[in-house]
Amino acid sequence: MIDSTAFVRPKYVGKPIRRLEDPRLLTGQGRYTADIQLPRTAHLAFIRSNQAYARINGINLDEAKTLNGVIGVFTASDFTHIPDIKAVSNMENYQVTSCPVLARDVVRYVGEPVVAIAAISRYVAEDAAALIEIDYDTLDVAVTARDALAKNAPKLHDKLASNIILERNFATGNAPVEIANAPHKVSGRFSLTRKTSVSTEPRAYLADYDVGKDELILYDSTNIPGIVRDEIGHLLNLNGNQIRVIAPDVGGSFGGKGSLYPEEIIVADLSRRLERPIKYVADRLEELTASSQAFGEEVEATLAFDADGQFIALDAEIIGDIGAYSIYPWTAALEPVQVASFLPGPYKTPVYRGRVRGVCTPKPPTGPYRGVGRPMAVFVMERLVDLAATKLNLSKVEIRRRNLVRAEDFPHRSSSGIVWDQSGFQECLETAEKAVSKLNLENRKKKSNKWIGVGYACYAELTGIGSRISVAPGMPMNTGTETASISIDATGAVTAKFGIASHGQSLETTLAQIVGEELGIKPEDVRIIQGDTAFSLHGTGTYASRSAVLGGGAAIKTSRALLIKVKQVAATLFNVDPEQVETGDGLIFVHNTNHAINFKELAQAVYSDMKTLPMEKRETLAAQESFDPFLGTTSSSAHVAVVEIDPETLVIKLQDFIVAEDCGKLINPLVVDGQVHGGVAQGVGVALLEELKFDDMGQPITATLADYLIPTSAEMPPMQVHHLETQLPPNPGGFRGMGEGGTIGAPAAIANAVADAVSHLGLCIDSLPITPNKLHALIAAKSKH
Amino acid sequence: MSYKLKIALNVNSESFEADVEPRMLASDFLRDELGLTGTHVGCEHGACGTCTIILNGVSVRSCLLLAVQLDEANIETVEGLGTTREMHRIQHAFREHHALQCGFCTPGFLITVREILDTLPLRNDKEIREALSGNICRCTGYDHIVKAVRTLVNERDKRLNS
Ligand code: FES
Ligand code: FES
């Protein structure tokens, strides 16, 4: 008998449950795309443009074609049946670019694929590549965004009106007038150089065409399998039931695996044409030169405020160096337009003018990168806030406190149009301030002969965005819905299927915690299937901090619908009212009675026994529900960085990093901490290390991981993460998204800390990454004056 | 290039013989010829550490070696450390501390940790961070990895002192 006074239904949500995906990943049993080996596979290598902008005069393939082991050599003329990739938009003032799967007539960036070679091994494919000559005529081109903006700049795309492929204006009130009349103002010209995602697993694709069934399976290291299926289906003229995209174990993305790439379309197409598996695994050079890149933005901004430090108006001119093509599906508006949308930040800034322009340059396309737009927006705003504090001689915390939206102001519509709701803006700052006071920095400063600086950054972000707006401005695609389908099979086992696609986010665990808690079974008894289009009708994937809110919401709704069925069936079996039936820890029971069965017995009664239940009571134990939060949730955070700069070498060392964040209800605190840590590490890269450099001709000069530096354990400081659960958002579960936040706040906090450390020198820290060399240059320039 | 050389080696206590092209990388050999795909390839130029294996007792980057250099060698890869049913203590510690997310860097870290636990004092977290700095992880920010290693070092020191 289950004693109602003694039985407590176990809770799984909120617990630091060990990850269910770990055993396989820890023992070398994970299955990443490159690990999958199929008989008769042909391996692809690409020859990529070595020119930034050039006309292709001719390609000599003769020798390569006859090389032993070569299966086929392909150029643009072999893919005339595939339409160009076009990212359309509802935005006014947007020009669509046409991106052929292999460069046709013209190349537009170093790294653009020109020739594809299929051979019996990657070694042979690369041998063949060495035998191919491509004759280019270089063309005049503007390499930087500033040059490409000029009226008479050579156009990168003949057919477009200009290099400016998008423009959008934001205006609330009359910012220029307010600024002119304001008692105080600060301004600056800020830039974030280009960077890239660098997931440790390079992109990989393996297509397996079944001629007999006319079905294509594409194993794909992507975080958007649903979008890949839909669009490759469209481009290759296949129905959704003829193409299945499987994202097996995926080794990180951070945005880099979240767009549609020419290589995956070619792999899919060639597998059908050659009727054999086709595999392509990018190498690191290809990753650094031909996967989507990020930032490349310049912002000129002015903040006006009164004598109390209350913000009056903000004005910004934003230029985004979007690269050669507008990326599918997000478009080139994704990053720069969100810089403009998020610039006013979590502050009350009543008047705002922002103009954003995206400019085509002969560089790899920019695409989504963790934080999208917000790292730049927060960097600019937080630098301005610190400059304002300095000007008024106010504390950096006090000026923020005075301007952050307060609890009583929610919902607050920001001057760029974003609605902030119920999130701990002030509380995060307060918590961070307390944590800083415990560091005893005054003492440290006194004892040290180094320059020590502290930097704050506050931000808010919209996460778990519903169908009211697309996650990318103007993109005509619904990213606001996710569906779950959960079933109990004839053995009593629970399987839950989702359209999202984990690439490190621990979704197999966190979703199992949710489903387990809702249904009353142990998380380890729930099998989560995700990242496979065969199991979801529609689903766009995992990005934009949406999976906990949307996937979690769908999990809750669906589990509850299934639980109703479970209770109904059990009620018939027990001959009681469905309301009396409870579940927990794998049991279905009625308190204080002998009625108790497990899920296996329930399934048996429904599916297998022919007598236990009358036919009309044998419900299918399955449910499918979608969740759409319509608006979205507001996550917020305050970051603090403490840096120490060696006056001799100018080496910048991060000493402490503090995060106070409000992501609503935590599903698994270990996982949340991990996401914050990882996000901050990437923010450290943005602030101090990572920079893709191009020379005057548009040649990339950071093409190895020895040139493009990412943080190692030695550069990372110990981190403190404080979680606040202020008022929970009204969505199922009360979750907010948090996967990107670390990367959003850290660059600004570190920039402010460096500026604080060198405040006695009066240097402007307005471009990231800031490095010892750049600091040296700033000091040298200052002493010349 | 069809010229091949015969090699014989021992991997995770199992003997193998194979004919390999002299130019084949050790990482490709382990993965594609022996099917030991637990060893990952993140950069192929010695910068990321995902391909780290133990060669005759010392950690090396298999992307910087040729398969022929493995002739007569004793190799240990992540598959030799423990199994899903019976994980090695290092693997357990990584799980307890959530020291992995996507898991792609993890085999390289596990092998590195296996070596440094035997060879370095690792007196404080700074030393642990230095010792791990040849391996790149893009997901975790290293905090949980350092905690896992700290736990393992403490256990080791306790064992050594008792
Ligand atoms: S793959 Fe060997 S070090 Fe990166
Ligand atoms: S866990 Fe993903 S790179 Fe380390």
Side-chain angles (χ1 to χ4, degrees), chain A residues 438-484:
Chain A
K438 293 200 181 119
L439 295 177
N440 216 345
L441 290 175
E442 286 318 309
N443 220 359
R444 243 195 247 175
K445 278 185 193 167
K446 260 185 235 145
K447 283 198 197 138
S448 172
N449 51 3
K450 309 241 164 89
W451 303 331
I452 292 178
V454 188
Y456 279 81
C458 295
Y459 68 83
E461 54 167 339
L462 266 189
T463 61
I465 297 175
S467 65
R468 191 181 72 94
I469 49 166
S470 178
V471 299
M475 179 179 73
M477 183 185 281
N478 176 19
T479 50
T481 314
E482 274 301 323
T483 306

Tab-separated table of all heavy atoms in Angstrom, chain A residues 438-484:
chain	number	residue	atom	x	y	z
A	438	LYS	N	33.193	41.382	-1.458
A	438	LYS	CA	33.901	40.322	-0.723
A	438	LYS	C	35.298	40.050	-1.279
A	438	LYS	O	36.082	39.331	-0.681
A	438	LYS	CB	33.080	39.025	-0.766
A	438	LYS	CG	31.788	39.165	0.004
A	438	LYS	CD	31.214	37.804	0.383
A	438	LYS	CE	29.902	37.999	1.128
A	438	LYS	NZ	28.765	37.384	0.431
A	439	LEU	N	35.593	40.592	-2.444
A	439	LEU	CA	36.905	40.317	-3.038
A	439	LEU	C	38.016	41.149	-2.396
A	439	LEU	O	39.192	40.914	-2.636
A	439	LEU	CB	36.880	40.603	-4.548
A	439	LEU	CG	35.980	39.724	-5.410
A	439	LEU	CD1	36.025	40.186	-6.856
A	439	LEU	CD2	36.398	38.269	-5.314
A	440	ASN	N	37.613	42.150	-1.643
A	440	ASN	CA	38.610	42.966	-0.953
A	440	ASN	C	39.603	43.603	-1.925
A	440	ASN	O	40.813	43.501	-1.777
A	440	ASN	CB	39.346	42.077	0.046
A	440	ASN	CG	39.695	42.849	1.294
A	440	ASN	OD1	39.636	44.091	1.274
A	440	ASN	ND2	40.061	42.147	2.347
A	441	LEU	N	39.060	44.246	-2.924
A	441	LEU	CA	39.917	44.757	-4.004
A	441	LEU	C	40.796	45.917	-3.571
A	441	LEU	O	41.925	46.060	-4.053
A	441	LEU	CB	39.048	45.170	-5.193
A	441	LEU	CG	38.409	43.993	-5.932
A	441	LEU	CD1	37.475	44.485	-7.008
A	441	LEU	CD2	39.481	43.091	-6.528
A	442	GLU	N	40.304	46.734	-2.666
A	442	GLU	CA	41.102	47.895	-2.238
A	442	GLU	C	42.440	47.416	-1.665
A	442	GLU	O	43.496	47.949	-1.975
A	442	GLU	CB	40.335	48.726	-1.203
A	442	GLU	CG	39.197	49.552	-1.800
A	442	GLU	CD	39.568	50.229	-3.124
A	442	GLU	OE1	40.618	50.901	-3.170
A	442	GLU	OE2	38.825	50.049	-4.117
A	443	ASN	N	42.320	46.363	-0.877
A	443	ASN	CA	43.515	45.779	-0.288
A	443	ASN	C	44.460	45.245	-1.362
A	443	ASN	O	45.676	45.467	-1.326
A	443	ASN	CB	43.063	44.630	0.622
A	443	ASN	CG	43.863	44.609	1.889
A	443	ASN	OD1	44.764	45.444	2.050
A	443	ASN	ND2	43.556	43.674	2.772
A	444	ARG	N	43.854	44.532	-2.313
A	444	ARG	CA	44.643	43.957	-3.401
A	444	ARG	C	45.382	45.051	-4.158
A	444	ARG	O	46.550	44.920	-4.487
A	444	ARG	CB	43.705	43.246	-4.378
A	444	ARG	CG	43.951	41.766	-4.470
A	444	ARG	CD	43.281	41.203	-5.677
A	444	ARG	NE	42.187	40.316	-5.329
A	444	ARG	CZ	41.365	39.769	-6.229
A	444	ARG	NH1	41.500	40.031	-7.508
A	444	ARG	NH2	40.399	38.974	-5.854
A	445	LYS	N	44.678	46.141	-4.402
A	445	LYS	CA	45.270	47.246	-5.160
A	445	LYS	C	46.463	47.825	-4.400
A	445	LYS	O	47.487	48.134	-4.989
A	445	LYS	CB	44.231	48.349	-5.403
A	445	LYS	CG	43.318	48.064	-6.578
A	445	LYS	CD	42.385	49.239	-6.845
A	445	LYS	CE	41.283	48.822	-7.790
A	445	LYS	NZ	40.182	49.765	-7.878
A	446	LYS	N	46.273	47.956	-3.101
A	446	LYS	CA	47.346	48.546	-2.288
A	446	LYS	C	48.594	47.684	-2.344
A	446	LYS	O	49.708	48.173	-2.435
A	446	LYS	CB	46.856	48.677	-0.835
A	446	LYS	CG	46.404	50.110	-0.503
A	446	LYS	CD	46.045	50.228	0.972
A	446	LYS	CE	44.620	50.774	1.115
A	446	LYS	NZ	43.897	50.222	2.242
A	447	LYS	N	48.395	46.376	-2.276
A	447	LYS	CA	49.536	45.464	-2.190
A	447	LYS	C	50.223	45.220	-3.526
A	447	LYS	O	51.371	44.821	-3.567
A	447	LYS	CB	49.057	44.114	-1.641
A	447	LYS	CG	48.828	44.132	-0.150
A	447	LYS	CD	48.797	42.691	0.366
A	447	LYS	CE	48.160	42.620	1.744
A	447	LYS	NZ	47.250	41.475	1.847
A	448	SER	N	49.499	45.464	-4.606
A	448	SER	CA	50.019	45.039	-5.901
A	448	SER	C	50.755	46.172	-6.598
A	448	SER	O	50.403	47.339	-6.462
A	448	SER	CB	48.852	44.566	-6.765
A	448	SER	OG	49.291	44.314	-8.061
A	449	ASN	N	51.767	45.798	-7.384
A	449	ASN	CA	52.407	46.822	-8.212
A	449	ASN	C	51.861	46.782	-9.642
A	449	ASN	O	52.392	47.382	-10.548
A	449	ASN	CB	53.929	46.666	-8.199
A	449	ASN	CG	54.322	45.237	-8.525
A	449	ASN	OD1	53.454	44.404	-8.815
A	449	ASN	ND2	55.616	44.947	-8.472
A	450	LYS	N	50.773	46.018	-9.811
A	450	LYS	CA	50.143	45.939	-11.126
A	450	LYS	C	48.965	46.888	-11.172
A	450	LYS	O	48.490	47.366	-10.144
A	450	LYS	CB	49.641	44.500	-11.355
A	450	LYS	CG	50.727	43.440	-11.096
A	450	LYS	CD	51.017	42.634	-12.324
A	450	LYS	CE	52.317	41.874	-12.225
A	450	LYS	NZ	52.154	40.556	-11.643
A	451	TRP	N	48.496	47.132	-12.393
A	451	TRP	CA	47.282	47.955	-12.530
A	451	TRP	C	46.081	47.040	-12.411
A	451	TRP	O	45.911	46.126	-13.217
A	451	TRP	CB	47.244	48.649	-13.884
A	451	TRP	CG	48.443	49.516	-14.160
A	451	TRP	CD1	49.211	50.161	-13.241
A	451	TRP	CD2	48.989	49.825	-15.445
A	451	TRP	NE1	50.211	50.871	-13.871
A	451	TRP	CE2	50.089	50.679	-15.220
A	451	TRP	CE3	48.647	49.492	-16.756
A	451	TRP	CZ2	50.866	51.186	-16.268
A	451	TRP	CZ3	49.415	49.998	-17.787
A	451	TRP	CH2	50.512	50.831	-17.548
A	452	ILE	N	45.242	47.298	-11.432
A	452	ILE	CA	44.068	46.446	-11.229
A	452	ILE	C	42.805	47.227	-11.595
A	452	ILE	O	42.684	48.407	-11.239
A	452	ILE	CB	44.018	45.953	-9.772
A	452	ILE	CG1	45.192	44.991	-9.540
A	452	ILE	CG2	42.691	45.252	-9.465
A	452	ILE	CD1	45.313	44.451	-8.153
A	453	GLY	N	41.927	46.603	-12.312
A	453	GLY	CA	40.695	47.287	-12.731
A	453	GLY	C	39.476	46.395	-12.559
A	453	GLY	O	39.559	45.177	-12.644
A	454	VAL	N	38.329	47.038	-12.292
A	454	VAL	CA	37.066	46.318	-12.134
A	454	VAL	C	36.093	46.835	-13.177
A	454	VAL	O	36.005	48.039	-13.391
A	454	VAL	CB	36.439	46.593	-10.745
A	454	VAL	CG1	35.243	45.674	-10.525
A	454	VAL	CG2	37.463	46.433	-9.664
A	455	GLY	N	35.391	45.940	-13.808
A	455	GLY	CA	34.424	46.374	-14.816
A	455	GLY	C	33.093	45.687	-14.642
A	455	GLY	O	33.023	44.479	-14.414
A	456	TYR	N	32.029	46.468	-14.755
A	456	TYR	CA	30.658	45.947	-14.662
A	456	TYR	C	30.015	45.935	-16.039
A	456	TYR	O	30.325	46.782	-16.884
A	456	TYR	CB	29.800	46.858	-13.779
A	456	TYR	CG	29.962	46.626	-12.300
A	456	TYR	CD1	31.037	47.183	-11.603
A	456	TYR	CD2	29.047	45.850	-11.607
A	456	TYR	CE1	31.182	46.976	-10.238
A	456	TYR	CE2	29.190	45.637	-10.241
A	456	TYR	CZ	30.255	46.200	-9.562
A	456	TYR	OH	30.399	45.985	-8.220
A	457	ALA	N	29.101	45.001	-16.233
A	457	ALA	CA	28.236	45.051	-17.418
A	457	ALA	C	26.891	44.444	-17.055
A	457	ALA	O	26.829	43.378	-16.439
A	457	ALA	CB	28.857	44.279	-18.572
A	458	CYS	N	25.825	45.165	-17.407
A	458	CYS	CA	24.476	44.651	-17.194
A	458	CYS	C	23.841	44.437	-18.553
A	458	CYS	O	24.089	45.202	-19.480
A	458	CYS	CB	23.614	45.662	-16.437
A	458	CYS	SG	24.187	45.971	-14.773
A	459	TYR	N	23.051	43.414	-18.676
A	459	TYR	CA	22.326	43.259	-19.930
A	459	TYR	C	21.035	42.507	-19.702
A	459	TYR	O	20.836	41.870	-18.671
A	459	TYR	CB	23.165	42.522	-20.984
A	459	TYR	CG	23.408	41.076	-20.653
A	459	TYR	CD1	22.448	40.110	-20.946
A	459	TYR	CD2	24.572	40.685	-20.025
A	459	TYR	CE1	22.647	38.789	-20.605
A	459	TYR	CE2	24.774	39.368	-19.682
A	459	TYR	CZ	23.814	38.422	-19.977
A	459	TYR	OH	24.010	37.122	-19.624
A	460	ALA	N	20.172	42.612	-20.698
A	460	ALA	CA	18.947	41.821	-20.714
A	460	ALA	C	18.850	41.231	-22.099
A	460	ALA	O	19.368	41.797	-23.064
A	460	ALA	CB	17.743	42.699	-20.427
A	461	GLU	N	18.234	40.084	-22.212
A	461	GLU	CA	18.054	39.486	-23.529
A	461	GLU	C	16.689	38.827	-23.604
A	461	GLU	O	16.143	38.393	-22.603
A	461	GLU	CB	19.166	38.488	-23.842
A	461	GLU	CG	19.343	37.415	-22.772
A	461	GLU	CD	20.211	36.251	-23.228
A	461	GLU	OE1	20.360	36.055	-24.441
A	461	GLU	OE2	20.714	35.543	-22.367
A	462	LEU	N	16.196	38.783	-24.831
A	462	LEU	CA	14.941	38.084	-25.068
A	462	LEU	C	15.305	36.658	-25.409
A	462	LEU	O	16.102	36.414	-26.318
A	462	LEU	CB	14.228	38.693	-26.277
A	462	LEU	CG	13.194	39.779	-26.046
A	462	LEU	CD1	12.494	40.057	-27.364
A	462	LEU	CD2	12.179	39.393	-24.986
A	463	THR	N	14.735	35.714	-24.688
A	463	THR	CA	15.040	34.310	-24.972
A	463	THR	C	13.734	33.548	-25.116
A	463	THR	O	12.686	34.031	-24.695
A	463	THR	CB	15.842	33.695	-23.819
A	463	THR	OG1	15.050	33.762	-22.629
A	463	THR	CG2	17.154	34.416	-23.586
A	464	GLY	N	13.824	32.380	-25.701
A	464	GLY	CA	12.618	31.584	-25.880
A	464	GLY	C	11.569	32.379	-26.631
A	464	GLY	O	10.416	32.482	-26.224
A	465	ILE	N	11.981	32.941	-27.749
A	465	ILE	CA	11.094	33.842	-28.490
A	465	ILE	C	10.008	33.038	-29.204
A	465	ILE	O	10.291	32.042	-29.859
A	465	ILE	CB	11.920	34.680	-29.491
A	465	ILE	CG1	12.911	35.549	-28.698
A	465	ILE	CG2	11.015	35.546	-30.370
A	465	ILE	CD1	13.861	36.339	-29.562
A	466	GLY	N	8.776	33.493	-29.076
A	466	GLY	CA	7.634	32.810	-29.690
A	466	GLY	C	7.385	33.281	-31.106
A	466	GLY	O	8.241	33.906	-31.733
A	467	SER	N	6.182	32.983	-31.592
A	467	SER	CA	5.927	33.193	-33.021
A	467	SER	C	5.566	34.633	-33.382
A	467	SER	O	5.355	34.939	-34.544
A	467	SER	CB	4.805	32.262	-33.475
A	467	SER	OG	3.611	32.614	-32.813
A	468	ARG	N	5.490	35.519	-32.389
A	468	ARG	CA	5.122	36.893	-32.740
A	468	ARG	C	6.175	37.513	-33.659
A	468	ARG	O	5.854	38.208	-34.606
A	468	ARG	CB	4.956	37.754	-31.489
A	468	ARG	CG	4.314	39.115	-31.804
A	468	ARG	CD	4.183	39.955	-30.548
A	468	ARG	NE	5.461	40.454	-30.088
A	468	ARG	CZ	5.951	41.648	-30.408
A	468	ARG	NH1	5.284	42.474	-31.170
A	468	ARG	NH2	7.134	42.035	-29.953
A	469	ILE	N	7.431	37.279	-33.343
A	469	ILE	CA	8.500	37.737	-34.224
A	469	ILE	C	9.456	36.575	-34.481
A	469	ILE	O	9.555	35.658	-33.675
A	469	ILE	CB	9.319	38.909	-33.614
A	469	ILE	CG1	9.740	38.565	-32.180
A	469	ILE	CG2	8.537	40.197	-33.657
A	469	ILE	CD1	10.809	39.473	-31.628
A	470	SER	N	10.149	36.661	-35.586
A	470	SER	CA	11.145	35.641	-35.877
A	470	SER	C	12.412	35.992	-35.106
A	470	SER	O	12.645	37.156	-34.800
A	470	SER	CB	11.405	35.651	-37.376
A	470	SER	OG	12.392	34.715	-37.670
A	471	VAL	N	13.240	34.994	-34.796
A	471	VAL	CA	14.468	35.327	-34.056
A	471	VAL	C	15.402	36.188	-34.895
A	471	VAL	O	16.247	36.888	-34.358
A	471	VAL	CB	15.243	34.088	-33.545
A	471	VAL	CG1	14.416	33.280	-32.585
A	471	VAL	CG2	15.754	33.242	-34.681
A	472	ALA	N	15.275	36.137	-36.214
A	472	ALA	CA	16.098	37.006	-37.054
A	472	ALA	C	15.193	38.077	-37.656
A	472	ALA	O	14.157	37.742	-38.235
A	472	ALA	CB	16.768	36.203	-38.157
A	473	PRO	N	15.562	39.349	-37.521
A	473	PRO	CA	14.688	40.419	-37.991
A	473	PRO	C	14.328	40.243	-39.469
A	473	PRO	O	15.212	40.133	-40.313
A	473	PRO	CB	15.530	41.681	-37.786
A	473	PRO	CG	16.550	41.316	-36.777
A	473	PRO	CD	16.807	39.847	-36.937
A	474	GLY	N	13.048	40.196	-39.748
A	474	GLY	CA	12.593	40.146	-41.144
A	474	GLY	C	12.565	38.769	-41.756
A	474	GLY	O	12.055	38.578	-42.856
A	475	MET	N	13.106	37.750	-41.073
A	475	MET	CA	13.160	36.415	-41.665
A	475	MET	C	11.760	35.800	-41.667
A	475	MET	O	11.140	35.675	-40.619
A	475	MET	CB	14.116	35.532	-40.874
A	475	MET	CG	14.225	34.117	-41.414
A	475	MET	SD	15.381	33.099	-40.467
A	475	MET	CE	14.463	32.806	-38.967
A	476	PRO	N	11.268	35.408	-42.831
A	476	PRO	CA	9.893	34.895	-42.881
A	476	PRO	C	9.823	33.421	-42.494
A	476	PRO	O	9.430	32.584	-43.288
A	476	PRO	CB	9.494	35.106	-44.343
A	476	PRO	CG	10.785	35.061	-45.087
A	476	PRO	CD	11.880	35.493	-44.155
A	477	MET	N	10.235	33.104	-41.287
A	477	MET	CA	10.223	31.709	-40.868
A	477	MET	C	9.816	31.662	-39.411
A	477	MET	O	10.328	32.436	-38.607
A	477	MET	CB	11.634	31.122	-41.034
A	477	MET	CG	11.731	29.655	-40.698
A	477	MET	SD	13.426	29.066	-40.781
A	477	MET	CE	13.659	28.862	-42.529
A	478	ASN	N	8.895	30.779	-39.079
A	478	ASN	CA	8.463	30.684	-37.683
A	478	ASN	C	9.490	29.923	-36.856
A	478	ASN	O	9.706	28.737	-37.057
A	478	ASN	CB	7.105	29.985	-37.594
A	478	ASN	CG	6.670	29.791	-36.139
A	478	ASN	OD1	7.172	30.466	-35.248
A	478	ASN	ND2	5.751	28.867	-35.919
A	479	THR	N	10.101	30.633	-35.932
A	479	THR	CA	11.060	29.989	-35.027
A	479	THR	C	10.491	29.927	-33.611
A	479	THR	O	11.214	29.689	-32.671
A	479	THR	CB	12.385	30.774	-35.020
A	479	THR	OG1	12.084	32.156	-34.801
A	479	THR	CG2	13.123	30.633	-36.325
A	480	GLY	N	9.184	30.152	-33.511
A	480	GLY	CA	8.594	30.295	-32.183
A	480	GLY	C	7.767	29.126	-31.699
A	480	GLY	O	7.044	29.241	-30.718
A	481	THR	N	7.862	27.994	-32.386
A	481	THR	CA	7.049	26.847	-31.991
A	481	THR	C	7.935	25.616	-31.887
A	481	THR	O	8.839	25.442	-32.710
A	481	THR	CB	5.978	26.562	-33.075
A	481	THR	OG1	5.381	27.794	-33.440
A	481	THR	CG2	4.908	25.627	-32.567
A	482	GLU	N	7.684	24.793	-30.898
A	482	GLU	CA	8.338	23.485	-30.848
A	482	GLU	C	7.303	22.446	-30.466
A	482	GLU	O	6.361	22.722	-29.715
A	482	GLU	CB	9.500	23.465	-29.857
A	482	GLU	CG	10.828	23.940	-30.449
A	482	GLU	CD	11.322	23.142	-31.659
A	482	GLU	OE1	11.138	21.910	-31.684
A	482	GLU	OE2	11.892	23.759	-32.578
A	483	THR	N	7.496	21.240	-30.975
A	483	THR	CA	6.545	20.169	-30.740
A	483	THR	C	7.256	19.024	-30.031
A	483	THR	O	8.424	18.762	-30.310
A	483	THR	CB	5.996	19.674	-32.092
A	483	THR	OG1	5.481	20.799	-32.790
A	483	THR	CG2	4.899	18.652	-31.915
A	484	ALA	N	6.534	18.386	-29.138
A	484	ALA	CA	7.058	17.173	-28.519
A	484	ALA	C	6.060	16.065	-28.786
A	484	ALA	O	4.856	16.319	-28.842
A	484	ALA	CB	7.224	17.365	-27.017
